[in-house]
Amino acid sequence: MSQLIRKYSAGLQTSEFAQYLGEYHHDLVDGSLSPTVEVVGKTEPIKLKVIYSTGVGLERDLDDYLEVGGVCLEVDETLPPLADVLLVIGGIHLQQTVTLRGRAVRETPAGVAFQVNAPEPPIADSLREMPEKMRQASAEAGQQALATAAQAAQAAQATQSAPRASTPTIEQASGTQREPICAVDPDGPMVLDGEPTRIWDLAQQSVPDILLGLLDRTGLSVLEVEFGERRAQVVLDGANVVDVEIYPTAQKETLESLLLAAGKLDEADIDRAERYTAQHGVCMAEALVDLGILSYAEMGLALKTRARFLLGILWKKTEGRARLWEVDELSRRFRAPKSPLAYHLFRRMRDGFKGADDAWLEERRDFFRAHLTSRAPEPLCDIAQLDLGKRETRFYELVLETPRPLSELTRISRLGDDNLIVLLECFRRLGMLTTEETNPWTRRRTKFVEQIARMKARLHAKNHFETLGVHWTAYDEEIEEAYRERMAGLADDKLPDELDEGTRETIDELRQKLTEAYELLSDTRRRATYRSEIAIGVDRKAALEMFLKQADTAKLRRDIDSAIDSYRRVLEIKPKHPLALKDLEVLEKLKAAESR
């Protein structure tokens, strides 16, 4: 995108710019690199449809699929532990898909971790070719979209009627009345009567801090900021910015100048709009919409962008004063589309913090190291107001659901160390985080409560294998180890002090469920009968072939333990498999010899 902007600024013609957009349409249409994952087949092997919206996203994950042999994907549905899966990988505008075999290893805050089996060379080559094919297909779709838009624009130009008569509102296509963007009042600021409710000295409190303190307000208000010979009025409806104006207004701060600089208007458009404002008594914004130069949605975005630009002028003012006025109604010139005050504050804070020096970052890092961080139960603003990407939103909603130390947040966030600190500090200042000072006891209690919450999710598991967290082919030693490990973590001498009653009741229930699962699965005959009851629809032949192949691979690597594990799973599926019985006997003798 930055390359396109530089080319456009260097004199690229609009038609050429449109051509470039068509070529790069695929990587611009969706900012998310993560694929959408849908469960389309629920019997093992579970079939998942993994669709990437950009070639860049698939390129990012190629090494995970082909070299690392493991990938982390966001899946809305809960998958059984160690379930066999088929990952059907595809892209938008692309008919071709590639299918990889694998296994769901475990759930993490960043998504489900999958082990991916190495594909055959032709399949791997097809997967490597997919990003470029996605770009080509999407470029064709982009060119088609541009052609359709051009035809629509020509049709609209041919049928455009004369500007409507003077009216302070903009009519929707349905004929219902739309609130005016603004009415003409170009000569000065809004007149504020009475006494202000609060007064601040900018030398003692900054404009951002003042605005942060207004996030919990309701009703209509105007924050007036005086600095030097100029005065700004920030108009608020609750915690939403309705408009921002600075008087006297510099030429570069006018709406038409900003739109001209952004390439949305040319001088001829401005001349037409100025004549229209003089003739019909409306402001520049409404004139541009009435004349069809900009759509209502485009004008709303322009006003929101201008408000952010003008707030940026106020951001670093350290001399002057600010006053807050509560008002019953607003002058109609300020009826601009609302935008959350939190949105503007977050953008400004994040941009400022990203440019901070190393000392500031280290100081904030030390703060978060000393605290457990989690979502505030009653945040001052909603995460949706910040217009963040899917990864940052998921981080706030899921990862910060429970208190976590900075080391754990860094490990699972995938946001980068400095970016994570900046994001956490923005959330903290917006009143969206709760921080609790850490000590060994709080860290142990928090980790234990998280473990209990994960185990509680298995209480309603579909079968006893899932309760113990083992695969349906689990054998005696594996079941024994899983049971002992889980029960040991629930022993009375391992419980932190001062656990709430609800957590203790959950622990008792967990012990009971784990014991029930163990008593059934530890009996070989009962386990075989139970497995045949729950594994209906499972492709046992495919599972048998997979474990035999894994055993062969382990033997080539001289990994005796992995080979033994695979053969034991084979015998759980087919107890009298001759090759498994023979090789397992040899491998166990080798292992015994090595241990001596």
Side-chain angles (χ1 to χ4, degrees):
M1 178 61 88
S2 61
Q3 292 175 355
L4 289 175
I5 291 172
R6 284 197 295 271
K7 290 179 179 179
Y8 190 71
S9 302
L12 192 69
Q13 296 298 314
T14 303
S15 59
E16 296 174 310
F17 188 69
Q19 180 181 353
Y20 277 114
L21 282 179
E23 293 176 4
Y24 294 110
H25 168 266
H26 177 269
D27 290 332
L28 299 175
V29 72
D30 188 340
S32 171
L33 298 181
S34 299
T36 58
V37 182
E38 179 185 359
V39 179
V40 295
K42 298 189 177 182
T43 58
E44 289 199 42
I46 296 172
K47 191 174 182 180
L48 292 90
K49 191 175 181 180
V50 184
I51 301 299
Y52 284 84
S53 59
T54 65
V56 174
L58 178 53
E59 283 178 335
R60 182 199 64 174
D61 292 343
L62 276 178
D63 285 346
D64 291 340
Y65 288 121
L66 301 177
E67 304 297 335
V68 179
V71 66
C72 208
L73 301 173
E74 297 178 4
V75 184
D76 290 336
E77 299 185 33
T78 301
L79 301 179
L82 302 177
D84 295 320
V85 297
L86 294 177
L87 301 175
V88 182
I89 302 169
I92 59 172
H93 306 301
L94 198 62
Q95 297 295 326
Q96 174 195 8
T97 61
V98 170
T99 300
L100 301 181
R101 282 188 171 273
R103 178 190 294 186
V105 180
R106 64 187 179 94
E107 286 198 44
T108 73
V112 178
F114 292 92
Q115 173 190 336
V116 182
N117 299 339
E120 297 296 328
I123 296 177
D125 292 341
S126 296
L127 187 60
R128 291 190 182 96
E129 294 168 358
M130 281 182 66
E132 186 58 34
K133 289 183 178 179
M134 288 170 64
R135 289 194 180 88
Q136 293 172 1
S138 190
E140 294 174 1
Q143 294 290 358
Q144 181 61 40
L146 288 170
T148 302
Q151 292 172 2
Q154 292 173 359
Q157 184 68 27
T159 59
Q160 183 177 8
S161 59
R164 62 180 174 79
S166 175
T167 173
T169 64
I170 299 173
E171 301 295 327
Q172 294 181 351
S174 63
T176 58
Q177 195 176 66
R178 176 184 285 167
E179 291 185 349
I181 294 175
C182 57
V184 167
D185 183 14
D187 298 328
M190 183 177 181
V191 178
L192 301 169
D193 298 322
E195 295 296 324
T197 56
R198 293 190 65 183
I199 301 176
W200 297 270
D201 183 348
L202 296 186
Q204 299 178 356
Q205 193 158 15
S206 67
V207 172
D209 288 340
I210 293 171
L211 291 172
L212 282 169
L214 302 180
L215 279 175
D216 59 351
R217 288 192 62 80
T218 58
L220 301 173
S221 56
V222 178
L223 178 68
E224 190 169 68
V225 182
E226 296 178 351
F227 54 100
E229 300 297 323
R230 306 184 76 191
R231 176 171 30 157
Q233 289 184 336
V234 182
V235 185
L236 303 170
D237 184 352
N240 294 295
V241 176
V242 180
D243 203 4
V244 182
E245 292 289 346
I246 299 180
Y247 304 95
T249 303
Q251 180 59 35
K252 67 178 182 179
E253 298 166 359
T254 63
L255 178 64
E256 55 267 35
S257 296
L258 292 172
L259 289 169
L260 184 64
K264 297 293 184 180
L265 303 179
D266 56 29
E267 295 291 351
D269 293 328
I270 294 176
D271 290 342
R272 287 176 62 202
E274 286 178 344
R275 291 196 299 271
Y276 189 83
T277 59
Q279 180 182 356
H280 297 282
V282 296
C283 69
M284 175 61 70
E286 194 164 1
L288 291 170
V289 174
D290 284 358
L291 291 169
I293 298 172
L294 292 179
S295 68
Y296 188 86
E298 288 173 323
M299 181 53 65
L301 178 60
L303 289 171
K304 180 179 176 180
T305 304
R306 179 172 181 263
R308 183 181 172 192
F309 170 71
L310 295 180
L311 282 173
I313 295 175
L314 304 179
W315 207 250
K316 296 183 180 180
K317 299 301 178 185
T318 57
E319 295 182 359
R321 66 174 180 169
R323 298 180 293 176
L324 183 69
W325 307 78
E326 294 182 356
V327 296
D328 295 326
E329 59 181 0
L330 300 176
S331 166
R332 291 173 64 203
R333 67 165 285 112
F334 294 107
R335 295 300 292 256
K338 298 177 185 178
S339 58
L341 175 59
Y343 167 85
H344 296 283
L345 287 167
F346 177 82
R347 298 288 159 175
R348 281 288 161 187
M349 283 192 294
R350 188 169 67 172
D351 291 346
F353 295 158
K354 283 185 175 180
D357 57 24
D358 292 340
W360 181 89
L361 283 170
E362 192 58 34
E363 186 270 330
R364 289 291 81 200
R365 190 173 287 111
D366 288 342
F367 172 84
F368 288 110
R369 281 178 184 143
H371 292 79
L372 296 175
T373 306
S374 61
R375 276 191 347 232
E378 297 181 1
L380 292 179
C381 61
D382 188 85
I383 186 70
Q385 295 178 335
L386 306 186
D387 193 25
L388 297 176
K390 287 194 297 185
R391 179 178 294 178
E392 293 168 322
T393 300
R394 187 178 179 88
F395 168 74
Y396 180 77
E397 292 178 342
L398 298 182
V399 177
L400 293 176
E401 186 175 11
T402 56
R404 299 180 187 275
L406 179 61
S407 58
E408 187 174 352
L409 293 177
T410 302
R411 177 173 57 83
I412 63 181
S413 69
R414 300 172 67 185
L415 295 172
D417 190 22
D418 290 351
N419 287 338
L420 175 63
I421 296 299
V422 168
L423 190 64
L424 290 175
E425 182 63 13
C426 290
F427 287 158
R428 188 186 71 83
R429 297 200 183 195
L430 289 172
M432 299 170 66
L433 292 184
T434 295
T435 55
E436 176 185 0
E437 192 166 0
T438 61
N439 55 55
W441 179 82
T442 58
R443 287 196 293 271
R444 181 168 178 259
R445 184 193 64 182
T446 301
K447 185 175 181 179
F448 184 83
V449 171
E450 288 178 2
Q451 178 186 352
I452 293 299
R454 288 193 295 269
M455 294 180 70
K456 184 179 179 180
R458 297 197 188 102
L459 286 178
H460 305 291
K462 296 178 181 178
N463 58 66
H464 291 321
F465 290 105
E466 291 185 20
T467 298
L468 288 178
V470 296
H471 193 258
W472 62 270
T473 59
Y475 44 85
D476 291 334
E477 290 86 343
E478 187 180 8
I479 292 168
E480 179 78 22
E481 182 181 354
Y483 174 69
R484 299 300 177 197
E485 180 182 338
R486 282 156 180 74
M487 290 296 286
L490 300 176
D492 289 333
D493 60 347
K494 296 291 183 66
L495 304 184
D497 297 331
E498 299 183 19
L499 288 176
D500 61 88
E501 189 62 29
T503 301
R504 291 190 177 276
E505 290 177 359
T506 300
I507 290 171
D508 290 338
E509 190 176 359
L510 281 170
R511 289 168 175 164
Q512 180 182 348
K513 291 285 187 180
L514 288 168
T515 301
E516 289 176 3
Y518 173 71
E519 287 177 350
L520 188 149
L521 297 182
S522 59
D523 186 307
T524 305
R525 289 188 177 182
R526 293 176 66 193
R527 181 170 74 240
T529 302
Y530 182 71
R531 180 185 291 116
S532 65
E533 293 173 354
I534 67 161
I536 298 173
V538 173
D539 190 344
R540 291 173 176 251
K541 183 178 179 182
L544 192 68
E545 292 174 352
M546 182 184 71
F547 287 125
L548 286 171
K549 185 175 180 180
Q550 288 180 357
D552 289 339
T553 303
K555 287 190 294 184
L556 289 173
R557 296 199 310 264
R558 299 184 180 277
D559 185 348
I560 296 177
D561 288 336
S562 295
I564 290 174
D565 175 84
S566 296
Y567 278 135
R568 284 180 175 175
R569 295 185 189 279
V570 169
L571 293 174
E572 288 291 325
I573 300 173
K574 189 175 181 180
K576 295 183 180 181
H577 193 283
L579 176 62
L581 287 170
K582 179 181 178 181
D583 281 10
L584 182 59
E585 182 181 358
V586 173
L587 289 168
E588 286 179 336
K589 288 180 180 179
L590 285 173
K591 183 177 180 180
E594 286 184 355
S595 63
R596 289 197 298 270

